[in-house]
Amino acid sequence: MSVIVVQGYYPLKGEVEIQGSKNAVLPMMAAAILHKGTTVLKHVPMIQDVFCMMGILESMGCVCRFCDHTLTVDAGELTCTGVSKERGRAMRSSIIVLGALLGRCGEADVYYPGGCSIGSRPIDLHLAALRQMGAVIREEGEALRACTRGLKGTDITLSYPSVGATENVILAAVRASGITVLRGAAREPEIDALCRMLSSMGVRIGGIGTSVLKIQGTKDLADAEYQVPGDRIVAGTYLSAVIAAGGEALLRNASPGQLACVLNIMREMGARIAVSGDAVRISMDGRPRAVSIETSPYPGFPTDLQSMALVLLSVGRGKGYLKETVFEGRFATAKELHKMGAEIIIEGTEACVTGKGFLKGAGVRACDLRGGAALAVAGLAAEGETRITDCGHIVRGYEDICGDLQHLGGIIRREL
Ligand code: EPZ
């Protein structure tokens, strides 16, 4: 298993182009199933989860071509409506092909999804909503056998703004008969991007950007080409690296409009941040100030930057607080940061961090995707060398975290 090695305690300086968004492109790839034609996605990140989703689509009979960040999916002929257990368990997003398959083919055999172990991550909201639309779903252990005589447009209310459940309902509604009204929908930017892509395929969707979506089912979809937005979480990761290590950077294609809450918190920590178009310029002198952060669904502080926030509070000065409200098991990285000298006390879903102004390099282990990236950020701020094992988690969502951070002046490499 490869290791990421970081030499820390050097200020960063440089420029980097942010990759396409993992959490936007995966539902877009699932949406391609809906159309008996070709869908072209541009600025697609070359990450493991994209290759896994390509494998799922190809196993169903889609023809995928991926070249120079452009992905072409021809879903003219589907030959299979099942997802293998191995692929299903490889990532969380495998579950969102369920809605699309039911809409397109009237049946689907999938599995309970895998993904980062950051909590129980049930799919009850997905299944309840699809059943409301007319799906019959049998659960046989980890397997889900689903069929329908035809999905029907329905008025659905989600008890929690689940991103994945919202995506599953949207995809199912596209090929349902009639209109589906989805209340309590997630408002993450990735949902907007999915809706705009579907609109470009000819789907009529009202309420984009709000928590009430109205989707008109249709059989007539058109070939479309769509640009995947920059990955706001990757941008937040690299902004955190500059705050942790000090220095200055220019991030292009950083989707700053999707990071308002994050940028405000970073300014509170003492960072100087200027936004111009899709670029963000950041500079940081000294150590970050302690702040209080509570994660929440968009437009709040994203749970995917929670581990990064723990790092910034740890290298800062004073007592900081962080409350995690989205995933109940997302503090695994704290114990790795303890090895680097961080003082973090976890009580339930709350973390109290006493920033001592420094961290020391150590041997640590990536526990999940974003936690692994946070350890790389911590290594850039720490005195000495940090070695991160199990960094296979990181490549699921970061196309080239070492190369990107090297562009920002970081001394970081991957040992195979
Ligand atoms: C998506 O996961 C993202 N993944 C996650 O990013 C992100 O952290 C999360 O949304 C929240 O923003 C992808 O888009 C591939 P949820 P998802 O359904 O859809 C509970 C990353 O690092 N819930 O909004 O799984 C659930 O347990 C990943 O890129 C139910 O109870 O998130 C959790 O507590 C990590 N029942 C909360 O809702 C359900 O049926 C939020 O989950 C569904 C969810």
Side-chain angles (χ1 to χ4, degrees):
M1 179 59 72
S2 62
V3 176
I4 288 180
V5 182
V6 194
Q7 296 296 339
Y9 218 51
Y10 299 95
L12 299 182
K13 183 173 176 54
E15 295 190 16
V16 71
E17 171 96 16
I18 300 300
Q19 70 180 61
S21 166
K22 166 180 87 79
N23 292 346
V25 72
L26 293 172
M28 290 176 176
M29 292 173 72
I33 294 170
L34 295 164
H35 173 41
K36 290 187 179 178
T38 299
T39 302
V40 178
L41 297 173
K42 301 178 86 65
H43 198 232
V44 174
M46 294 172 74
I47 55 176
Q48 192 172 307
D49 275 11
V50 165
F51 296 123
C52 181
M53 185 62 90
M54 277 175 64
I56 289 174
L57 297 182
E58 288 168 336
S59 71
M60 293 175 195
C62 294
V63 177
C64 297
R65 285 191 314 282
F66 191 15
C67 175
D68 193 21
H69 296 96
T70 294
L71 174 66
T72 302
V73 181
D74 179 348
E77 293 301 324
L78 294 190
T79 55
C80 167
T81 57
V83 177
S84 73
K85 182 173 183 178
E86 182 196 4
R87 289 196 173 106
R89 300 291 299 156
M91 62 174 182
R92 178 76 179 175
S93 284
S94 65
I95 193 63
I96 57 172
V97 303
L98 178 56
L101 277 176
L102 281 169
R104 167 84 184 260
C105 309
E107 62 180 27
D109 288 340
V110 298
Y111 284 86
Y112 263 86
C116 288
S117 54
I118 50 180
S120 57
R121 305 188 83 176
I123 56 170
D124 55 316
L125 300 177
H126 298 241
L127 302 184
L130 293 173
R131 284 171 172 141
Q132 259 191 272
M133 298 177 76
V136 176
I137 304 174
R138 284 197 331 275
E139 299 174 62
E140 297 169 2
E142 290 179 308
L144 297 163
R145 311 275 182 236
C147 63
T148 179
R149 278 202 282 268
L151 295 176
K152 290 183 179 38
T154 317
D155 201 312
I156 296 171
T157 297
L158 291 178
S159 57
Y160 182 90
S162 156
V163 172
T166 300
E167 291 164 350
N168 238 331
V169 171
I170 291 169
L171 294 172
V174 169
R175 298 293 291 264
S177 60
I179 292 176
T180 297
V181 178
L182 176 59
R183 305 176 199 281
R187 293 174 50 208
E188 270 66 11
E190 293 75 33
I191 304 292
D192 280 18
L194 176 64
C195 290
R196 294 188 197 289
M197 174 215 169
L198 288 169
S199 301
S200 72
M201 295 168 73
V203 182
R204 292 179 59 199
I205 303 179
I208 298 177
T210 75
S211 58
V212 182
L213 296 173
K214 194 177 276 190
I215 303 113
Q216 168 72 55
T218 179
K219 295 278 185 266
D220 305 322
L221 297 175
D223 287 4
E225 182 172 305
Y226 198 80
Q227 168 107 355
V228 177
D231 192 311
R232 62 190 172 107
I233 303 301
V234 171
T237 304
Y238 298 162
L239 292 169
S240 300
V242 176
I243 296 175
E248 56 183 293
L250 174 67
L251 276 57
R252 289 190 303 280
N253 197 38
S255 301
Q258 302 174 10
L259 286 167
C261 179
V262 174
L263 298 183
N264 289 340
I265 294 271
M266 290 180 166
R267 290 186 176 105
E268 231 184 286
M269 289 179 156
R272 283 181 301 285
I273 294 172
V275 171
S276 169
D278 74 355
V280 179
R281 188 177 291 280
I282 184 171
S283 63
M284 181 74 183
D285 300 321
R287 290 304 194 184
R289 286 193 287 268
V291 295
S292 291
I293 298 171
E294 179 168 321
T295 69
S296 65
Y298 195 86
F301 189 91
T303 174
D304 291 348
L305 290 176
Q306 181 248 82
S307 300
M308 258 47 86
L310 281 186
V311 172
L312 298 184
L313 294 176
S314 298
V315 299
R317 294 197 182 285
K319 270 195 186 311
Y321 295 90
L322 190 145
K323 182 170 175 54
E324 169 61 57
T325 71
V326 179
F327 289 105
E328 74 281 7
R330 197 166 202 172
F331 281 127
T333 302
K335 70 180 183 307
E336 298 304 311
L337 292 171
H338 288 153
K339 297 174 187 171
M340 301 176 74
E343 209 171 294
I344 306 172
I345 298 169
I346 306 286
E347 285 184 7
T349 60
E350 299 194 12
C352 175
V353 186
T354 304
K356 295 187 292 187
F358 71 93
L359 288 172
K360 58 186 190 311
V364 291
R365 183 177 71 84
C367 304
D368 54 67
L369 163 56
R370 306 302 177 183
L375 293 172
V377 170
L380 290 170
E383 293 172 59
E385 181 176 276
T386 297
R387 298 178 66 84
I388 306 167
T389 57
D390 279 1
C391 52
H393 288 287
I394 305 174
V395 296
R396 284 191 43 222
Y398 291 79
E399 184 173 289
D400 183 8
I401 192 168
C402 292
D404 286 346
L405 290 172
Q406 286 165 3
H407 282 140
L408 296 181
I411 302 175
I412 178 172
R413 70 180 190 279
R414 190 129 178 236
E415 276 181 3
L416 294 174

